[in-house]
Amino acid sequence: MPDSPLERPNPYLLDRVMSLADEAEVYANEDIYTESGMKLLAQGHKLTRALQEKLALHKLQRPLVQTLGVQGGVTREAISLLAQTLIEEQPMLEPICERGGMHALAESLKFVPLDQVSLLMLTLAHRSAGEAMRHAVLVTMVALGVARRLASPAADLPVIAAAGLLHDIGELYVDPNVLEGGHVVSPDEWRSLALHPMIGQRLIRDTTTLGEQMARMVAEHHERFDGSGYPRGLSGPSISRAGQLLAVAEMTVGLLHKALEAPIRLDLALKVISSGHSSEITGVLREVLANEPTLQGIPLYTVPNVLAALNRFIMSMEAIQAALSQAEVDADNINSRELVTDAEARFYAVQRAFLRTGMGSVPVYEITSALFGAESDDLIEAMGIVEELNWRLRDLARFVSLRTGLLLPTERNGLDTLLRALADPLHHGS
């Protein structure tokens, strides 16, 4: 969780602030005081690297992001212009946002209710991760397009837009190395990453004027309708409708990125991986995309795709089963024993699900032979099954990682092999 207003600035946030100050004019928009009343920087003065150590050592009277301003930072006009650019780059935005309304949606971003603090945080995210702003605007456009198709009240659209832009703002508190593409995330790193929705919620609630509804949406953007999401594992009606919408928009943007790398049927891809999301919301998207002429006749999966996903699942299952059998937890270590017991129960639930599919009871070479003779729709169904199984493994990995984070260092003894076995599902998940 993020530091409270009286605690020291988060080191990763502070590094990002200082990096921004190296290339732009970051200044104090009010006097900055330590908790004890010592003035660190007078209003109007520029922030420099010389002040970094003092800021790192002292608790502040007010959160750092509330006390700073920046010249040449992200503006609503720049966000709107980026949205117009993305419309040209991402043809799938056209059917989602409706042909006659997508440019109006982009134009509406000039009026999103963002305050000075939220614009500063967007500037920090944009300067420290080049694709962060593009991703945020894409999620926002998809969320707005779907919201309009669902006939959401007009008054909700600005809130949805602001939450879309800020949904990953909690990543400002995460080690940037963890966020780099290709980085193999360890269980400890994943725990910090998994908390970014809650960090974003607190940042919006405690440092901006944007309100609790928007903060809740940000907190829920990785939750799943079936309860297998994170960080709280909420399910069904426990997730706000707006939060469900943002979660589906995030998932859809992930598919849009894949569509640029390889031709896939987005409507069918949504069907395959959307079981954990609101069927009402994903149904609207599937209907829109299924009628898109440019998608017709494009294959979604090949046999190698399905086999690679299946083999990854089987190898992970074997490694986790071996690790669970080798876990050596002291008899008097109640918390660790409960963790292993709960992990075993979840593992065997996944194993039973695999057996029920029929694929878990036959040799892989027989599955391979069947797949090479399968029709396209059969491959889609097979991949849907395997992707759901892999998702359940990632859910198990997230569960163990988060629970391990609550243990004392001495209580983690004997869990190293299990955590290593869970690293692969975490690496392939989000």
Side-chain angles (χ1 to χ4, degrees):
M1 293 301 292
D3 302 329
S4 72
L6 290 180
E7 291 180 342
R8 297 173 183 84
N10 172 276
Y12 302 122
L13 173 68
L14 186 56
D15 281 344
R16 288 178 166 96
V17 169
M18 289 301 170
S19 294
L20 178 61
D22 287 341
E23 57 184 66
E25 183 173 330
V26 179
Y27 58 90
N29 57 27
E30 60 183 63
D31 292 340
I32 300 178
Y33 289 98
T34 67
E35 178 187 10
S36 62
M38 180 176 68
K39 184 188 292 188
L40 293 179
L41 191 65
Q43 181 178 6
H45 284 215
K46 290 176 60 176
L47 189 68
T48 65
R49 284 279 179 184
L51 198 59
Q52 182 169 4
E53 185 175 351
K54 288 184 179 179
L55 287 170
L57 291 175
H58 292 284
K59 295 180 180 180
L60 305 179
Q61 288 187 358
R62 280 166 49 79
L64 183 62
V65 291
Q66 286 186 320
T67 64
L68 299 176
V70 58
Q71 293 286 350
V74 169
T75 64
R76 297 174 188 82
E77 290 73 17
I79 292 170
S80 175
L81 182 61
L82 177 56
Q84 299 283 4
T85 301
L86 290 173
I87 287 171
E88 305 302 322
E89 294 179 2
Q90 288 278 6
M92 285 303 100
L93 281 178
E94 187 172 318
I96 294 171
C97 297
E98 298 183 279
R99 288 167 179 78
M102 58 183 179
H103 289 285
L105 283 181
E107 186 71 14
S108 73
L109 296 183
K110 292 181 180 178
F111 309 100
V112 176
L114 298 172
D115 61 9
Q116 179 175 304
V117 175
S118 56
L119 285 170
L120 171 63
M121 291 192 292
L122 284 174
T123 301
L124 289 168
H126 174 58
R127 295 294 180 90
S128 61
E131 290 297 312
M133 183 58 64
R134 294 172 62 86
H135 173 77
V137 174
L138 270 176
V139 169
T140 301
M141 291 292 287
V142 172
L144 287 174
V146 176
R148 287 181 53 173
R149 289 185 175 277
L150 291 169
S152 298
D156 289 350
L157 297 184
V159 179
I160 292 170
L165 291 170
L166 293 166
H167 73 278
D168 277 337
I169 210 67
E171 291 183 354
L172 290 175
Y173 276 64
V174 176
D175 183 346
N177 293 322
V178 174
L179 302 174
E180 289 183 359
H183 177 79
V184 178
V185 180
S186 71
D188 283 339
E189 290 173 334
W190 191 88
R191 278 193 294 275
S192 68
L193 181 59
L195 290 175
H196 83 266
M198 295 173 69
I199 295 173
Q201 178 186 32
R202 281 192 58 180
L203 284 170
I204 291 171
R205 186 187 63 205
D206 297 347
T207 69
T208 76
T209 59
L210 303 184
E212 185 59 39
Q213 180 187 3
M214 196 179 302
R216 181 180 177 184
M217 285 183 66
V218 168
E220 294 173 340
H221 78 273
H222 277 300
E223 300 291 354
R224 262 177 67 125
F225 207 65
D226 62 0
S228 64
Y230 62 90
R232 293 185 175 94
L234 301 178
S235 63
S238 298
I239 310 171
S240 69
R241 180 179 171 84
Q244 295 169 29
L245 178 64
L246 194 56
V248 171
E250 170 94 344
M251 176 191 70
T252 304
V253 168
L255 292 175
L256 287 172
H257 288 314
K258 288 183 179 180
L260 289 179
E261 297 170 3
I264 64 171
R265 284 283 304 275
L266 291 178
D267 58 322
L268 297 177
L270 278 167
K271 183 179 180 180
V272 166
I273 70 172
S274 65
S275 60
H277 296 281
S278 163
S279 59
E280 177 191 16
I281 298 173
T282 56
V284 167
L285 277 169
R286 288 205 305 271
E287 181 180 355
V288 168
L289 293 172
N291 295 326
E292 181 60 23
T294 58
L295 289 172
Q296 304 307 315
I298 300 176
L300 177 59
Y301 295 118
T302 64
V303 173
N305 293 151
V306 179
L307 288 176
L310 176 61
N311 283 323
R312 188 173 74 241
F313 170 77
I314 293 173
M315 291 175 64
S316 293
M317 287 287 287
E318 291 173 348
I320 294 170
Q321 185 171 30
L324 284 169
S325 67
Q326 295 169 14
E328 298 179 356
V329 179
D330 294 337
D332 58 350
N333 196 336
I334 298 174
N335 291 331
S336 296
R337 290 187 66 82
E338 286 182 351
L339 171 57
V340 172
T341 300
D342 290 346
E344 286 178 335
R346 287 173 177 251
F347 172 81
Y348 289 121
V350 178
Q351 190 176 64
R352 288 193 296 273
F354 184 37
L355 290 171
R356 284 196 298 270
T357 67
M359 289 190 287
S361 56
V362 296
V364 173
Y365 71 83
E366 290 188 15
I367 298 174
T368 303
S369 177
L371 288 176
F372 273 108
E375 299 292 333
S376 177
D377 287 349
D378 295 327
L379 288 178
I380 292 167
E381 182 179 356
M383 187 58 131
I385 293 170
V386 176
E387 284 295 292
E388 185 60 30
L389 291 168
N390 274 312
W391 177 271
R392 292 192 184 192
L393 268 192
R394 292 194 289 272
D395 183 39
L396 168 62
R398 289 191 289 262
F399 166 79
V400 172
S401 293
L402 291 175
R403 282 278 295 272
T404 303
L406 300 176
L407 300 177
L408 297 172
T410 54
E411 293 177 321
R412 299 186 190 185
N413 293 335
L415 297 178
D416 291 347
T417 302
L418 177 59
L419 292 174
R420 284 196 297 271
L422 292 169
D424 186 68
L426 282 178
H427 177 51
H428 287 94
S430 61

